[in-house]
Amino acid sequence: MNTRILNFLKQPTLIEEKQKASHRFVEDMPPYAINQELSQKEHGRVLSNYFFRNKDIYISRHNRYADYPTHTHTFLEMNYMLQGSATEIVDGKQITLNTGDLLLLDNGSTHSIKALGEDDLLINILFRTKNISISLLNDLKRSNNIFYDFLLSQVINKQNKNRDYLIFTKRRNQEVQATLDRIIEEYYSNNDFSNSIIKSYLSILLVQLVREYPVSGPHQENKTKLLTIKILKVIAQEYKTISLNELAQRYSYNKNYLSNVFKSEVGQTFSEVLTRQRLIQAHTLITSTSLPIATIMDQVGIKNKTFFYRKYKQYYQKLPSADR
């Protein structure tokens, strides 16, 4: 870890100074970072996608000196123990993390964190399903790995997931820790193109975790799940022009059957997933080029301007012009 970054992470924040004096939790989130509707429904704090307004991956150091209250979130979270140790309660189970350990929390999992000491540095890495490459999953599908199963469940058959978290303990092989250090350094260095570099590092990290951690036994995928993976990969690659009719012809299935299978496995319709992929591509072009919005719409395959602006606002919580 870069010494300058490490020293920066050790410096106390204003919130930490208050917590150190009182040993009580001090609110560290603005009101709009908490999904009020879901919080009322779940009877607890539900953190929203507020963190991803200007970036794909959000990183923070956890505040020390006070217990952090029970909460859940609408995204995936990694807790990386950069230094020291931490005790978390995840879905009612107590977990201890030591230096080099990594905890991966599913969206919707509930957890709280006991007070950290002065020498404890816990790094939070937040990301969303869209950061998990369908092409990457397809390449990894022979890995017979519990982490592969976990990643796959983020895209397929979400309603039947049976793992809310995974723990990766520090290994003698330092590759995973080195990649995590690079992610943290890149984030806090705030250099040009850091968002793109961090996304690439995240993909590397996911591959390393699949490679480094043990298998779960024989891996069996049913026919409809494999078909759905194929469709998701096509959407990721051919989002501009692909349609359900074309897929039905390509794979020799009835269109309605294909639609029902996809909705059953993914939990969303083909149209919803296709629109989301087009919006992701549009967001990338809007934030990284000066192309006119109309040109970007054409490049991602959306023709209706009103539809595009409405869906973009729903997904990114802002209009395309605000992302420029």
Side-chain angles (χ1 to χ4, degrees):
M1 169 66 68
N2 179 287
T3 303
R4 181 178 63 84
I5 300 296
L6 186 59
N7 289 335
F8 169 76
L9 292 171
K10 291 179 179 179
Q11 296 301 310
T13 64
L14 292 176
I15 287 178
E16 285 184 315
E17 290 176 355
K18 293 178 181 179
Q19 292 189 163
K20 188 174 184 179
S22 67
H23 297 290
R24 293 182 178 179
F25 169 71
V26 176
E27 180 59 72
D28 59 346
M29 299 288 176
Y32 40 85
I34 300 173
N35 188 314
Q36 301 297 338
E37 182 179 346
L38 284 177
S39 294
Q40 291 177 2
K41 182 179 179 181
E42 299 291 335
H43 305 291
R45 290 159 60 92
V46 179
L47 305 186
S48 69
N49 286 335
Y50 148 82
F51 304 96
F52 307 105
R53 293 173 301 166
N54 301 311
K55 50 180 68 75
D56 291 291
I57 298 164
Y58 179 87
I59 299 175
S60 66
R61 177 178 61 73
H62 187 77
N63 288 324
R64 297 166 287 187
Y65 308 118
D67 292 351
Y68 198 87
T70 301
H71 63 285
T72 186
H73 30 69
T74 57
F75 44 80
L76 292 102
E77 177 177 352
M78 287 182 178
N79 293 162
Y80 172 50
M81 203 71 227
L82 177 61
Q83 178 179 298
S85 62
T87 299
E88 299 199 30
I89 309 298
V90 182
D91 294 331
K93 296 181 180 180
Q94 181 170 304
I95 294 169
T96 299
L97 300 178
N98 296 304
T99 301
D101 292 348
L102 180 70
L103 170 67
L104 175 61
L105 296 158
D106 194 359
N107 58 70
S109 63
T110 300
H111 71 126
S112 60
I113 304 173
K114 297 295 185 181
L116 301 181
E118 183 174 353
D119 296 326
D120 301 325
L121 298 180
L122 180 64
I123 307 299
N124 304 315
I125 303 173
L126 316 182
F127 62 104
R128 291 174 289 182
T129 301
K130 74 185 186 71
N131 297 118
I132 301 174
S133 165
I134 301 302
S135 297
L136 172 64
L137 288 177
N138 191 66
D139 292 339
L140 296 175
K141 69 183 179 182
R142 294 188 181 91
S143 66
N144 292 338
N145 185 281
I146 58 171
F147 185 47
Y148 167 77
D149 291 339
F150 185 96
L151 293 176
L152 184 64
S153 74
Q154 300 303 316
V155 183
I156 303 293
N157 207 18
K158 291 186 177 183
Q159 63 271 28
N160 291 327
K161 290 184 292 189
N162 56 13
R163 293 184 183 273
D164 294 321
Y165 64 90
L166 292 175
I167 302 174
F168 305 96
T169 55
K170 184 179 180 180
R171 295 295 184 88
R172 291 181 181 178
N173 187 329
Q174 298 293 314
E175 284 187 353
V176 169
Q177 279 70 38
T179 302
L180 284 161
D181 286 349
R182 298 293 84 75
I183 289 173
I184 296 165
E185 289 171 353
E186 187 65 38
Y187 188 88
Y188 284 103
S189 296
N190 199 28
N191 294 322
D192 291 342
F193 311 112
S194 61
N195 186 62
S196 297
I197 291 173
I198 291 168
K199 284 198 295 182
S200 297
Y201 274 137
L202 179 64
S203 294
I204 292 170
L205 177 64
L206 298 182
V207 173
Q208 288 175 335
L209 290 172
V210 168
R211 184 171 63 185
E212 289 295 322
Y213 289 86
V215 301
S216 58
H219 183 73
Q220 299 293 330
E221 291 172 337
N222 62 42
K223 184 177 179 181
T224 57
K225 184 172 290 188
L226 289 172
L227 175 61
T228 307
I229 292 173
K230 284 183 181 180
I231 295 173
L232 286 166
K233 187 175 181 181
V234 171
I235 290 174
Q237 296 174 342
E238 303 176 34
Y239 55 86
K240 181 178 179 179
T241 58
I242 196 62
S243 68
L244 192 59
N245 278 329
E246 183 177 341
L247 283 169
Q249 293 176 5
R250 185 180 301 186
Y251 296 121
S252 301
Y253 283 103
N254 176 274
K255 176 185 173 182
N256 291 333
Y257 170 79
L258 203 60
S259 176
N260 291 334
V261 165
F262 189 87
K263 176 68 183 294
S264 174
E265 291 288 350
V266 178
Q268 293 180 298
T269 66
F270 173 83
S271 177
E272 289 170 337
V273 174
L274 178 60
T275 297
R276 183 182 67 178
Q277 182 65 26
R278 288 171 171 173
L279 290 172
I280 291 169
Q281 298 301 322
H283 179 260
T284 299
L285 292 172
I286 288 168
T287 56
S288 63
T289 75
S290 57
L291 290 171
I293 299 299
T295 301
I296 290 173
M297 286 174 53
D298 181 66
Q299 289 193 7
V300 302
I302 297 179
K303 302 187 181 302
N304 187 305
K305 183 177 180 180
T306 302
F307 173 84
F308 173 74
Y309 274 79
R310 176 166 54 84
K311 289 295 184 181
Y312 193 97
K313 178 72 182 296
Q314 288 177 359
Y315 194 67
Y316 288 105
Q317 308 301 312
K318 62 173 68 172
L319 292 172
S321 57
D323 272 332
R324 301 224 109 150

